[in-house]
Amino acid sequence: MNPEKLRELLEGVRGGDVDIDSALHRMKGLPFENLGYAVVDHHRAMRHGMPEVIYGEGKVPEHLLGIFKNLRTQSPNVLATRVSREAAELVMSEVPDVEYYPASRVLRVWGDRRILSKGKMAIVCAGTADIPVAEEARLVAETMGNEVLAISDVGVAGIHRLFGHLDKIREARLCIAVAGMEAALPSVLGGLVSCPVIGVPTSVGYGAHFNGLASLLGMLNSCASNVTVVNIDNGFGAAYVGTLINRI
Amino acid sequence: MNPEKLRELLEGVRGGDVDIDSALHRMKGLPFENLGYAVVDHHRAMRHGMPEVIYGEGKVPEHLLGIFKNLRTQSPNVLATRVSREAAELVMSEVPDVEYYPASRVLRVWGDRRILSKGKMAIVCAGTADIPVAEEARLVAETMGNEVLAISDVGVAGIHRLFGHLDKIREARLCIAVAGMEAALPSVLGGLVSCPVIGVPTSVGYGAHFNGLASLLGMLNSCASNVTVVNIDNGFGAAYVGTLINRI
Amino acid sequence: MNPEKLRELLEGVRGGDVDIDSALHRMKGLPFENLGYAVVDHHRAMRHGMPEVIYGEGKVPEHLLGIFKNLRTQSPNVLATRVSREAAELVMSEVPDVEYYPASRVLRVWGDRRILSKGKMAIVCAGTADIPVAEEARLVAETMGNEVLAISDVGVAGIHRLFGHLDKIREARLCIAVAGMEAALPSVLGGLVSCPVIGVPTSVGYGAHFNGLASLLGMLNSCASNVTVVNIDNGFGAAYVGTLINRI
Amino acid sequence: MNPEKLRELLEGVRGGDVDIDSALHRMKGLPFENLGYAVVDHHRAMRHGMPEVIYGEGKVPEHLLGIFKNLRTQSPNVLATRVSREAAELVMSEVPDVEYYPASRVLRVWGDRRILSKGKMAIVCAGTADIPVAEEARLVAETMGNEVLAISDVGVAGIHRLFGHLDKIREARLCIAVAGMEAALPSVLGGLVSCPVIGVPTSVGYGAHFNGLASLLGMLNSCASNVTVVNIDNGFGAAYVGTLINRI
Amino acid sequence: MNPEKLRELLEGVRGGDVDIDSALHRMKGLPFENLGYAVVDHHRAMRHGMPEVIYGEGKVPEHLLGIFKNLRTQSPNVLATRVSREAAELVMSEVPDVEYYPASRVLRVWGDRRILSKGKMAIVCAGTADIPVAEEARLVAETMGNEVLAISDVGVAGIHRLFGHLDKIREARLCIAVAGMEAALPSVLGGLVSCPVIGVPTSVGYGAHFNGLASLLGMLNSCASNVTVVNIDNGFGAAYVGTLINRI
Amino acid sequence: MNPEKLRELLEGVRGGDVDIDSALHRMKGLPFENLGYAVVDHHRAMRHGMPEVIYGEGKVPEHLLGIFKNLRTQSPNVLATRVSREAAELVMSEVPDVEYYPASRVLRVWGDRRILSKGKMAIVCAGTADIPVAEEARLVAETMGNEVLAISDVGVAGIHRLFGHLDKIREARLCIAVAGMEAALPSVLGGLVSCPVIGVPTSVGYGAHFNGLASLLGMLNSCASNVTVVNIDNGFGAAYVGTLINRI
Amino acid sequence: MNPEKLRELLEGVRGGDVDIDSALHRMKGLPFENLGYAVVDHHRAMRHGMPEVIYGEGKVPEHLLGIFKNLRTQSPNVLATRVSREAAELVMSEVPDVEYYPASRVLRVWGDRRILSKGKMAIVCAGTADIPVAEEARLVAETMGNEVLAISDVGVAGIHRLFGHLDKIREARLCIAVAGMEAALPSVLGGLVSCPVIGVPTSVGYGAHFNGLASLLGMLNSCASNVTVVNIDNGFGAAYVGTLINRI
Amino acid sequence: MNPEKLRELLEGVRGGDVDIDSALHRMKGLPFENLGYAVVDHHRAMRHGMPEVIYGEGKVPEHLLGIFKNLRTQSPNVLATRVSREAAELVMSEVPDVEYYPASRVLRVWGDRRILSKGKMAIVCAGTADIPVAEEARLVAETMGNEVLAISDVGVAGIHRLFGHLDKIREARLCIAVAGMEAALPSVLGGLVSCPVIGVPTSVGYGAHFNGLASLLGMLNSCASNVTVVNIDNGFGAAYVGTLINRI
């Protein structure tokens, strides 16, 4: 039951064609989307100027291609994350203007490059091995209309490297801090800026790193009060929340 | 070396009393706080209208009292979290206008009740047992100048309870979702609102809950893209970041 | 907005007092409980002949007393689980006919003892130390109207003890198997009966038992196909689901 | 029956007071294999109208083929789970009417399609990536004679999608809820239906999901009382128990 | 023995070809409880000269007293492990000749001190803090009739201490090695003796010891091939198995 | 310094060629093997009639071949465990009479088939998937001179299968119980026999099995007192200890 | 057999009283300490100028007193760690010049205050709650003769605080970095100094800190190459190793 | 702002071209590296005679080649760790005098072989499977100018093997102990030497070894006080810290 159907029903009530008890009965289970809610929700991403984002992990190339082409007809910007090279090549062979970033495994069309957010988003990355995750965050953020300041290789074991970028970072409305190993960057950075910091632990490390657990625990226990955390390697999620904050 | 000292040094240079090499030498190790940075930093909380927040865990009552009294002389608002009843009673016996909230173990003076943030902050709490953590978040948030909308007992196993509050929640600029057990609230809520959601997993549960681990993992793996997470039971941290977002 | 309110609205539409657009607008956010859903849900437990069950953990005695007295006015059967002795004594001093079971920490009034389920529910318990959890399951099950067959001390290291009860157990429509330590009972029992088995791992054990983790993992990895599992020490949950199955 | 009783029985046989058939009958519950119980047990699956189910993991294709052919001679329905494509192709090249489902890796002959259960079984699946596990459950359930209602892509971050199916789901006698990531579906669904819900956590997720641990813990800590849980990705087990419940 | 064989046997009994005693004898392996096997099993411990052992954890003092007195009437030796001081004092006030060992929390009557095993059992203990677990093992072993060689404080960080006892240890038929912290003793000892070594990890340690997990993992990964392991702090279990080996 | 060297030294002392102080000095650090200990130790395996056992994991085929050939010259029996097919084929192409068991990845020459132990060793295996581990144990045990009773597919979910073999199992001096999944076999078996049981948890399982952790914890928490445990999949270790026990 | 005995034996050989074969036989098992090794080892601590250190955890006050008094007679410096207040008070009532540090629970007599090491040892502590562990390290280090530079409250979320002390820290030969929560201090500090850094993770934290696990993993995964780690809260161990390094 | 810029600024102040307030303002954020700090830091490795070390994991061969060639122009010694064979072959085809060690995956040019440290560094390795990690440590240590004593296959289950090398090991200034499985070597070794021991747990093991966790926990809980620990398989880190100690 969509709004049109509901309008018809109400008109039936007004016209006397439908008695109130049967109207009540038909409205009882009233699923949300019948009220148009789902439609609104479905379009929410686009109304916010956010491109649809496809999660490519485990999708067979043909399915990914189908979804990608479909979204491309609706939006100038289309993003897919965690896309295999094989799937990327299939899409690029059929859809024009698609770029593939093999390190982060992001695939996108970036047709509409307007800035939609109100401030800068800093994406600060600890080690060079963390760059793929930071790149995913950057690509998502810029495709969603953020002005992005991307800074790499400023891990805390060479703290002066971070200081060299501090003035610029402090101009951002929010920071995304991407770090593996002991993942101390959000704590140090959090103490140096006044804005919210979203920590993205990465799976970069070995041995007692346990595939990102060490980085995750480090960020969750940050002694800086302005840090929140997303899942390991979840550059997309950090950029998504960052965009929401940056649009406030 | 504080700014005054640095000024003196520069004046010595200007006046020729200090040659440039020895000035350079003295400035070489130039610790940050010597440039007044630390002072700025120390005062940052207050300049932002944020009260100093004391972490009471493990502090002996006398020390807590000393810190509390000291801060009270500087600010109309003082907050302390995780304060034992014993310490609270000591402080209340010596400092006027102090309130103690035994469930959340928060102690505060709330003299300056101006709203300093730009929007509402919703603090949504799943079960009644999670209320102490939500209360900590609420007390921190309101003392820091937020207009807070606090909603309790809207766990996902009775999803209609949440829907009853949805219109109000959607007016908020951001949500804090406090939940123990399976901690599904941020996922459900995140799908229903467009703003950022900060999830606070709680240690409420038993058995395979492992003191909050289950809730934490649930929130980190949320299928809603607008959720970030803080440490287990960290109502303070969520409110702190929420305030930063709410002031943007 | 409850059904009465909705009826009024529809009558307004029918009578022309409310135009359709404003009716649509008012119905847009239509929270579920406004349609009476919540009321139905709230009464669901009682309509099913199930007593309200209070989770006593962490509740102060006075609150528990208040809730207990309130429910007592509405139902002949009231159950509270995980009740401290102190709270139990307070309730017993004020409410007649209340029994307290200190091992399982269950508090109940069992006024209506009719059998509401269609078959027997076997509650089979491995070791004597697991009895408190099995007792919680038994008290919940019988208060909810099940005919319960409770068998104790039939751990698998003395498998003949189980065989002595097998004929009776096979008459049950479902089994609840309560076990700590290696928790092999559901596997062995599951292979001997044709009905569903609900495993309740307990926290009984030490060392590498890790507070019930070993029992939980054992049950989840059962080689018997008819076993499902609930949380560690969750006798209540097993009895609740068991009652639902037993009423089919 | 103790030794004295057995001696009496034997004396009755010797004296002619007890005929051999009734002696045999009374001894029926005696040790399994000695009384041919094992044979009965071996046939239990088939007597219940359940096809034999082969666990294909790790079996070499030739062995799988042998077992499959053997069972095919005894039953119109044969199921094998976790079958590699290589093994599936071998079986399909030798046995007629075999279907292979590559997503769930199920191989089956479904000759006898009668409905043997008394109600509907709903299999509700959170995300598209969880479909392989839900498909395994569906194939097992329908081959075992259940009327199955399969619903996909109703994850809790878009809760309205679930509401659209609720009326149909409520007609089922039991629900199987398949979900990865935070796995909140059983909690939300459990609050909306009155029947038992069997949760199947999946290994769908990354990072702090730890191969299904997050989903498993989420379901075990469900705040809905009508949820029990099986092992990660165990669609088969959920369908098996569901069939037992559905035949009550 | 299958039904046909059983029928033949019964026919032999009826026809007089088989007398009842030999029929009973052939049926002896039949189901346990029916043949009184359980009774036999119940007495197994005593027939082996092993005293009944009571697990005292969680037992209320009155229950422990009752069980202890009962066993005392049947056996000159009675052992209870993990007994609280309160329970011990109650038992000692009512039963003569009872000794309590507060470190290991063992309570026993040791009336029959005959050596029933064939060789010596060495119980080797790494640190002084591990002595309570080693003492439990020693008391169990000697009460079960073993000649025990107990050696303490021979941790591997002072390896020469172990060498000083090696000649005596090598006379033993088996060794029990009790160790906390890194628990390297079984590996070192296992390389120096030819007999089986039973490792007992203890919960002695702190921090990354995780209540015995580190010791347990250390022993399970021993590079000495003659080491098997029991649960953390399970001195009783080691002594029990050791006695079985020592009686071979 | 080997015994010959020590003898020379003593002869030097006796003959006056070496004064006592310098003899003492040379003997001060006296490494063990200098006293011939290492040689004894090195030959210990063979003196006990045990073949040398090579751990093949990670060894390149050429190295394995070299070691295997060398040992073959010294002993009629040579065993290597965890050998890749590639390495096995290389060895078989160069050494006569070598057999390779691909399931357990054991490679051996079994020239001397005398029974060296005093009783039978039962190797009891729960599921067919556990057979590789049981086979490793069997091959090690029989090559080391044990009379082995190998029984498969007697998992506890069909407990009658175990009972059919019980009489034979009870003739053994010790049992090795190999089991994956919930690994309840040692507990059930331990309650049915009087001899020591060595449990070998296997990595057979999925999901919450965590590569053998569930089986390991199950066995460590066995409620049967006669069970000790070795590492996951360590069939070799169980057979080695079992041989030591069987030779007592 | 000590050196004197060995000398006698050699003299017997020289004199012809002992033949070589029987000398060889008596020397075969030659335990280390018989060569005086143990004595050397036993006195090693004191020869190095290190006081004996008593681990007080779990020791009853009377035993602690006995050991303390005994050591006091041999050394001007005596240290005991992890001492309860009760035990401390007993010792202080009987031994003069004993100081007790309740935060770190260290008890000591510090009679000989000479500096025995060659450089400074910096003990740098992140948060005020970590001070007890740092204090333990400091007391151990100074009692062992180090010149200690103790710096507190220089956590990385206020990085400028650390810079203020950097010149002094760089004068040290080695640093001990004590930190809880995310424990980033060793990484940051390690990047700023050239000397070895010993990280001491503390149990200070809550929730996902898991009693020090987060801090421990953070330090083990440090991106600074000059960091090694000791157990959680092991201030003693860090100071001990630090002393060894400082004496090189 | 680098030192030159700062000098200019000061000259501006001296000359009156820059007033003090604006000088203060420009110096306020004063990033560290602008003071030349970064340059010093960047060159620190080389000033210490340490070659630059490249972490090869995850680097594409072309990038590794580029970095390697660049460093080769600056230093006679270049080291890269965790280098794939493919990348190694590329580098060796373009850079002369490069050696690749496939077991440890180290690639190096070792042109300058001077000894820069003051003592010997012993690298002691438990099992042959641990050799790759020990080799990494050895190559790093010797390229950094240490005199290395490398000893292999001295695992604690054959303790006499270690004693045979003890005299030489005791000459070292520090020991690196590399061990997998139960990793007892540092504890035993730590008790036999007076110098610092750096433990390197390895991932060598299986089953309950959990990829090195068992070895790591073993070393962290060492009962020898002179042991510190680095991450699993981190031979590089141990050698790096060892070099710092060896240069003191």
Side-chain angles (χ1 to χ4, degrees), chain D residues 21 23 37 60-62 70 88 118 128 151 156 176 178 202 208 226 239-240 243:
Chain D
D21 280 330
Y37 186 94
V60 295
E62 292 71 23
N70 184 292
K118 295 177 181 154
T128 54
I151 293 167
V156 300
I176 291 173
V178 180
T202 76
N226 50 348
Y240 194 97
T243 301

Side-chain angles (χ1 to χ4, degrees), chain F residues 21-88:
Chain F
D21 280 329
S22 84
L24 274 171
H25 182 76
R26 287 169 66 185
M27 290 162 73
K28 185 153 193 180
L30 212 59
F32 255 47
E33 77 275 34
N34 289 354
L35 284 169
Y37 185 93
V39 179
V40 169
D41 184 72
H42 188 64
H43 287 180
R44 185 176 53 179
M46 265 166 267
R47 282 188 298 107
H48 284 270
M50 291 192 183
E52 282 287 326
V53 180
I54 307 160
Y55 184 66
E57 194 77 58
K59 288 213 170 57
V60 295
E62 291 70 23
H63 289 185
L64 191 92
L65 174 63
I67 302 169
F68 202 98
K69 285 169 84 169
N70 185 291
L71 288 175
R72 184 65 193 81
T73 63
Q74 300 167 37
S75 166
N77 290 355
V78 183
L79 260 178
T81 62
R82 308 203 174 202
V83 176
S84 68
R85 177 174 291 279
E86 183 195 358

Side-chain angles (χ1 to χ4, degrees), chain H residues 41-196:
Chain H
D41 184 73
H42 187 65
H43 287 179
R44 185 176 51 180
M46 263 166 269
R47 281 187 300 107
H48 284 269
M50 291 193 184
E52 281 289 324
V53 180
I54 306 161
Y55 183 67
E57 193 78 57
K59 288 213 171 55
V60 294
E62 291 71 23
H63 289 187
L64 190 92
L65 174 63
I67 302 169
F68 202 97
K69 286 168 82 168
N70 184 290
L71 288 175
R72 185 64 195 80
T73 63
Q74 299 167 37
S75 166
N77 289 355
V78 184
L79 260 179
T81 62
R82 307 202 175 205
V83 176
S84 68
R85 176 175 291 278
E86 182 195 359
E89 285 171 356
L90 178 65
V91 174
M92 287 189 287
S93 72
E94 300 231 357
V95 184
D97 300 326
V98 178
E99 296 165 306
Y100 182 58
Y101 297 82
S104 56
R105 299 195 295 145
V106 167
L107 192 73
R108 76 161 165 186
V109 177
W110 190 20
D112 175 357
R113 302 193 175 203
R114 282 173 299 161
I115 297 298
L116 303 168
S117 297
K118 296 176 181 155
K120 285 185 198 159
M121 182 192 301
I123 300 177
V124 185
C125 177
T128 54
D130 302 314
I131 288 178
V133 177
E135 185 180 276
E136 184 184 277
R138 177 179 63 80
L139 293 168
V140 170
E142 68 186 25
T143 316
M144 287 180 171
N146 294 278
E147 183 177 358
V148 176
L149 171 68
I151 293 167
S152 291
D153 203 17
V154 293
V156 300
I159 197 77
H160 56 280
R161 297 178 298 186
L162 179 60
F163 287 116
H165 298 281
L166 210 48
D167 281 352
K168 279 180 294 174
I169 293 172
R170 282 180 172 150
E171 292 171 7
R173 276 186 129 199
L174 84 152
C175 294
I176 291 173
V178 179
M181 302 189 73
E182 85 280 62
L185 182 59
S187 293
V188 173
L189 186 61
L192 294 168
V193 300
S194 302
C195 67

Side-chain angles (χ1 to χ4, degrees), chain G residues 37 170 173 193 229 248, chain H residues 37 44 170 173 193 229 248:
Chain G
Y37 185 94
R170 282 179 172 152
R173 276 186 129 200
V193 301
V229 185
I248 289 178
Chain H
Y37 185 95
R44 185 176 51 180
R170 282 180 172 150
R173 276 186 129 199
V193 300
V229 185
I248 290 176

